[in-house]
């Protein structure tokens, strides 16, 4: 299928710091592309470019085959690219339903009497959250009172509801326990079944291998490995993540020293 | 991109309530409202002064208290909105005086209809608000610094320009100028209801509070204000125009400063150029007593309205009780401390599950 997003040799510099260079990435509908990498590998910079928070400085960024330069997250959203951030992108003090519709509120009436259509927003938020397996008795409770997994799921449900074609998940399982991670990974699979292209950013190869169709490993701002699921197994992936060649060298050195 | 159709996920996980999200009890929910602390405090202060000062219970006294509360309260509404949006404005106090001075001097020096001065003052007040907002958005500096600078500059301008133009520290009376009576009936009329005199600012205050409550709770803009104050980065990421919200909130403070400035001008005919200094902290105090979180993202308009009413009661109650008025500021400070502690306690109780 034709890719929704295509990055060709994309790079990003902050002054004379090259955070990212020569990165190729494609996002296709109905596939989960995992981006792996250690801290500081450039994962966050990469998603900030795709989601419109930062602009790339070199290379090409294509959406539906058209080269673009996104200037705001709103522009990315309008093109169907929704991002669920590591820090959850929810406003903790606000009620669940207000968070769900934040930035895309439903209204009724005509300006200047245009007001929020609260019953409809509550109903839709409840239905969408139930479809994701989250049952809340009280949609007025602040999002901050939900568990980490539930908060992620609210953000994912929101993105899917607002017609996202591409879902970018920034470390959705990083702060979660085993069971909560399972909940989120199920939604990643559910999103793929619904035909969304998913970019799943993580530093956990085990989580990535559970849902991924394609794996891209970043290292120091460049692509170290790009392989389909058929071309790589979990051991190789873990190995790459753990440092790959560098680790071999280190093992050699340490074992060489400790040998009699 | 709002799609109303609800699409069922094909691999829908089984809905499970894990028993950790039970409904909070109605009492807890009531106690969790931002204005509860102020309401309890207002009731206590009312009872206190009713007991120690019998005249405090009369309708005339209530009218005076409400008038005191209204001028503070109108500013309090705008300052509370700004605070919910995560910022505050130290220039709000002198901005009132700046607006009144501008209207008065512009109309007097050019011998124009006072409405011309009123309009020029409106433009200036909105411009000061916009300047605060744009500087904040552009530089990313804390609003404390930006508005402290505006506060000092306006304070200096008020004195220097007034002295340069009128040769005096106060403006000339505009009492006999064209349009004065008309403008007075809008900004500073006194209505007679039964035997009681009621200042029109009380009605404006209640009207503005109702409007602001509606905007805050029932419009997209209100939703954005909460979001910008609660987590500006998240708000931006989901497409909320953060810069617009911030600038418009500062301009709302400018609008309120203009209104209160016009009231002062048409109530007293002249304006003292050193007025308003220190009032910005009273506005902030009213908002905080009313349960607005200083760090933003939480609060209401009813709370600061009750806060302003508390202020009015304390101000007048001390007079009716024949206490030394020098104690007023101490009393206000103690009230603020108590209100903040009460709010903290109430919120802890309410969010405990």
């Amino acid at each position: 299928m034709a890719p929704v997003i295509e990055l060709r040799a994309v790079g990003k510099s902050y002054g004379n710091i090259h955070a990212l260079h020569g990165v190729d990435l494609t996002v296709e509908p109905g596939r989960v592309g995992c981006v792996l990498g250690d801290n500081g590998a450039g994962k966050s910079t990469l998603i900030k470019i795709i989601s419109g928070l930062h602009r790339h400085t070199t290379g090409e960024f294509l959406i539906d085959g058209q080269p673009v330069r996104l200037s705001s997250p709103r522009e990315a959203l309008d093109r169907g690219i929704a991002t669920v951030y590591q820090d959850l992108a929810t406003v903790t003090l606000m009620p669940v339903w207000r968070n769900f519709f934040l930035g895309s509120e439903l209204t009724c009436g005509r300006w200047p009497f245009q007001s929020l259509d609260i019953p409809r927003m509550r109903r839709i938020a409840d239905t969408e959250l139930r479809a994701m397996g989250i049952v809340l008795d009280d949609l007025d409770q602040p999002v901050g009172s939900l568990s980490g997994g539930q908060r992620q799921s609210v953000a994912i449900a929101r993105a899917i509801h607002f017609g996202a074609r591409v879902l970018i998940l920034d470390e959705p399982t990083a702060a979660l326990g085993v069971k909560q991670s399972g909940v989120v990974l199920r939604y990643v699979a559910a999103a793929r079944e619904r035909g969304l292209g998913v970019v799943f950013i993580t530093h956990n190869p085990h989580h990535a291998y559970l849902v991924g169709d394609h794996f891209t490993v970043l290292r120091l701002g460049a692509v170290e490995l790009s392989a389909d699921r058929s071309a790589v197994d979990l051991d190789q992936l873990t190995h790459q993540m753990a440092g790959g060649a560098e680790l071999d060298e280190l093992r050699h050195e340490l074992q060489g020293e400790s040998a009699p | 991109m709002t799609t109303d159709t609800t699409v069922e996920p094909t691999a829908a996980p089984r809905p499970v309530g894990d028993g950790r999200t039970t409904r909070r009890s109605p009492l807890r929910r009531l106690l969790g409202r931002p204005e509860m602390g102020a309401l309890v405090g207002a009731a206590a202060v009312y009872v206190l002064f009713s007991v120690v000062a019998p005249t405090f219970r009369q309708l005339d006294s209530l009218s005076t208290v409400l008038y005191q509360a209204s001028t503070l309260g109108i500013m309090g509404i705008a300052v509370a909105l700004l605070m919910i949006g995560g910022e505050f404005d130290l220039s709000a106090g002198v901005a009132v005086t700046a607006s009144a001075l501008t209207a008065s001097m512009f109309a007097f020096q050019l011998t124009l209809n006072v409405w011309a001065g009123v309009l020029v003052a409106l433009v200036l007040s909105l411009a000061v608000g916009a300047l605060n907002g744009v500087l904040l958005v552009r530089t990313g500096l804390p609003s404390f610094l930006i508005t402290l600078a505006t506060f000092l500059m306006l304070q200096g301008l008020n004195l220097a320009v007034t002295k340069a133009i009128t040769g005096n520290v106060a403006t000339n009376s505009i009492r006999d100028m064209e349009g004065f009576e008309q403008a007075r009936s809008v900004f500073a009329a006194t209505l007679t209801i039964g035997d009681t005199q009621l200042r029109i600012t009380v009605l404006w205050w209640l009207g503005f509070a109702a409007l602001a409550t509606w905007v805050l709770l029932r419009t997209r803009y209100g939703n954005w204000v909460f979001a910008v104050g609660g987590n500006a980065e998240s708000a931006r990421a989901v497409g909320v125009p953060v810069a617009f919200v911030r600038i418009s909130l500062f301009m709302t403070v400018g609008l309120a400063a203009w209104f209160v400035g016009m009231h002062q001008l048409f109530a007293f005919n002249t304006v003292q150029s050193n007025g308003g200094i220190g009032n910005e902290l009273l506005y902030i105090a009213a908002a905080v007593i009313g349960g607005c979180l200083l760090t933003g993202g939480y609060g209401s308009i009813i709370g600061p309205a009750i806060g302003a009413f508390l202020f009015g009661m304390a101000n007048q109650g001390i007079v009716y009780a024949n206490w030394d008025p020098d104690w007023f500021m101490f009393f206000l400070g103690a009230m603020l401390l108590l209100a903040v502690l009460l709010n903290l306690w109430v919120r802890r109780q309410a969010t405990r599950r």
Side-chain angles (χ1 to χ4, degrees):
Chain A
M1 231 189 276
V4 186
I5 292 177
E6 203 175 347
L7 299 185
R8 291 185 192 151
V10 158
K12 168 80 190 172
S13 310
Y14 300 95
N16 54 4
I17 299 165
H18 302 287
L20 210 62
H21 51 96
V23 172
D24 296 313
L25 187 79
T26 53
V27 183
E28 292 167 34
R31 278 168 69 89
V32 177
C34 295
V35 177
L36 296 108
D38 207 351
N39 294 341
K43 300 184 305 260
S44 300
T45 310
L46 182 65
I47 51 161
K48 278 176 182 159
I49 291 170
I50 304 177
S51 62
L53 276 169
H54 291 338
R55 280 189 224 186
H56 56 288
T57 43
T58 55
E60 274 191 299
F61 178 7
L62 298 94
I63 298 178
D64 298 320
Q66 299 290 317
V68 290
R69 289 181 79 81
L70 300 179
S71 57
S72 74
R74 182 81 256 171
E75 214 180 315
L77 278 172
D78 289 343
R79 291 169 185 268
I81 302 170
T83 311
V84 177
Y85 290 93
Q86 196 170 358
D87 48 16
L88 307 166
T90 50
V91 183
T92 45
L93 284 168
M94 288 174 81
V96 173
W97 66 268
R98 280 187 188 266
N99 258 293
F100 192 93
F101 281 95
L102 184 59
S104 312
E105 295 86 354
L106 304 178
T107 54
C108 52
R110 235 173 236 276
W111 199 89
F113 302 107
Q114 193 179 50
S115 66
L116 295 177
D117 193 347
I118 294 175
R120 199 155 129 240
M121 285 198 280
R122 295 175 68 107
R123 204 176 57 238
I124 292 172
D126 193 44
T127 317
E128 286 286 316
L129 289 174
R130 276 173 195 274
M132 289 292 257
I134 309 162
V135 182
L136 301 175
D137 297 317
D138 183 5
L139 284 173
D140 272 317
Q141 64 181 314
V143 158
S145 68
L146 301 183
S147 72
Q150 284 177 322
R151 264 188 267 176
Q152 285 286 359
S153 308
V154 168
I156 296 174
R158 171 172 73 188
I160 294 176
H161 173 75
F162 287 109
R165 296 184 297 150
V166 174
L167 194 59
I168 301 164
L169 304 170
D170 181 14
E171 304 261 10
T173 58
L176 303 182
V178 177
K179 202 172 169 215
Q180 297 281 346
S181 298
V183 172
V184 173
L185 290 174
R186 245 173 252 141
Y187 300 134
V188 173
R192 173 178 55 196
E193 298 306 318
R194 286 168 74 163
L196 275 80
V198 180
V199 181
F200 180 22
I201 320 267
T202 181
H203 59 238
N204 187 330
H206 300 277
H207 287 166
Y209 207 74
L210 279 172
V211 291
D213 298 307
H214 186 94
F215 305 94
T216 306
V217 178
L218 290 180
R219 179 158 200 82
L220 299 173
V223 176
E224 192 173 66
L225 170 91
S226 177
D228 272 354
R229 190 187 183 84
S230 54
V232 65
D233 64 25
L234 181 58
D235 282 342
Q236 281 171 297
L237 204 59
T238 315
H239 185 66
Q240 282 288 346
M241 263 300 293
E246 233 176 278
L247 196 69
D248 285 340
E249 214 170 273
L250 187 67
R251 186 188 297 125
H252 223 78
E253 196 181 309
L254 292 175
Q255 285 175 346
E257 270 179 11
S258 63
Chain B
M1 293 283 307
T2 46
T3 44
D4 299 335
T5 45
T6 313
V7 198
E8 294 290 330
T10 34
R14 192 168 49 89
V16 271
D18 56 8
R20 286 181 295 178
T21 54
T22 48
R23 195 176 273 275
R24 288 177 297 166
S25 74
L27 183 68
R28 282 261 163 82
R29 279 148 67 99
L30 190 67
L31 281 174
R33 294 198 56 81
E35 55 272 4
M36 267 323 280
L39 198 60
V40 173
V45 170
Y46 187 82
V47 169
L48 171 72
F49 283 120
S50 299
V51 172
V52 298
T55 44
F56 187 77
R57 292 193 294 260
Q58 290 166 6
L59 214 53
D60 279 339
S61 313
L62 181 68
S63 166
T64 317
V65 166
L66 281 174
Y67 172 53
Q68 279 279 334
S70 66
T71 49
L72 182 86
I74 291 172
M75 282 306 287
I77 291 167
V79 168
L81 280 172
L82 182 69
M83 196 181 287
I84 295 169
E87 310 294 339
F88 50 46
D89 187 352
L90 295 178
S91 68
V94 286
V96 171
T97 310
S99 195
L101 287 169
T102 308
S104 168
M105 287 193 292
F106 186 82
F108 187 85
Q109 298 300 327
L110 301 176
T111 333
L112 293 171
N113 189 306
V114 294
W115 283 102
V118 169
L119 278 180
V120 170
L122 174 63
V123 172
L124 177 103
S125 292
L126 290 176
V128 169
L131 178 76
N132 277 332
V134 169
L135 278 176
L136 180 96
V137 168
R138 278 292 168 89
T139 61
L141 287 169
S143 51
F144 186 95
L145 289 179
I146 303 254
T147 60
L148 180 64
T150 332
F151 162 63
L152 294 171
M153 288 194 292
L154 276 182
Q155 192 184 336
L157 278 175
N158 283 354
L159 282 167
V161 174
T162 309
K163 239 181 195 161
I165 292 180
T166 66
N168 204 332
V169 289
T171 60
N172 306 78
S173 172
I174 56 162
R175 204 190 155 91
D176 45 10
M177 291 185 64
E178 201 184 334
F180 181 87
E181 287 306 322
Q182 201 185 17
R184 172 175 233 167
S185 65
V186 172
F187 294 109
T190 305
L191 311 169
T192 311
I193 300 166
D195 317 325
T196 316
Q197 306 271 309
L198 187 71
R199 298 302 288 257
I200 197 167
T201 47
V202 177
L203 299 182
W204 281 117
W205 174 41
L206 298 177
F208 289 151
L211 178 68
T213 299
W214 180 77
V215 167
L216 192 61
L217 296 179
R218 290 286 179 270
T219 67
R220 305 186 69 182
Y221 182 78
N223 217 28
W224 296 348
V225 171
F226 276 114
V228 169
N231 189 342
E233 274 311 301
S234 299
R236 188 166 115 81
V238 293
V240 173
V242 175
F244 163 77
V245 171
R246 285 190 172 140
I247 295 171
S248 60
L249 283 174
F250 274 104
M251 290 177 77
T252 308
V253 175
L255 186 69
W258 167 76
F259 194 90
V260 175
M262 292 310 103
H263 167 71
Q264 289 182 356
L265 174 61
F266 293 106
F268 305 114
N269 312 335
T270 71
V271 192
Q272 295 290 331
S273 58
N274 62 351
I277 300 164
N279 283 355
E280 62 281 344
L281 298 179
L282 296 182
Y283 307 144
I284 292 173
V288 172
I289 288 174
C292 293
L293 214 54
L294 197 63
T295 46
Y298 186 79
S300 71
I301 296 303
I302 302 172
I306 299 172
F309 185 60
L310 247 173
F311 170 90
M313 281 200 293
N315 202 344
Q316 293 304 310
I318 286 175
V319 177
Y320 289 123
N322 281 324
W323 295 353
D324 184 350
D326 294 345
W327 285 91
F328 171 64
M329 277 297 169
F330 172 81
F331 194 81
L332 192 68
M335 217 159 64
L336 176 63
L337 186 64
L338 277 176
V340 171
L341 292 177
L342 189 66
N343 280 339
L344 191 70
W345 180 77
V346 157
R347 209 164 304 146
R348 286 217 181 120
Q349 289 297 310
T351 49
R352 207 174 58 187
R353 277 178 283 138

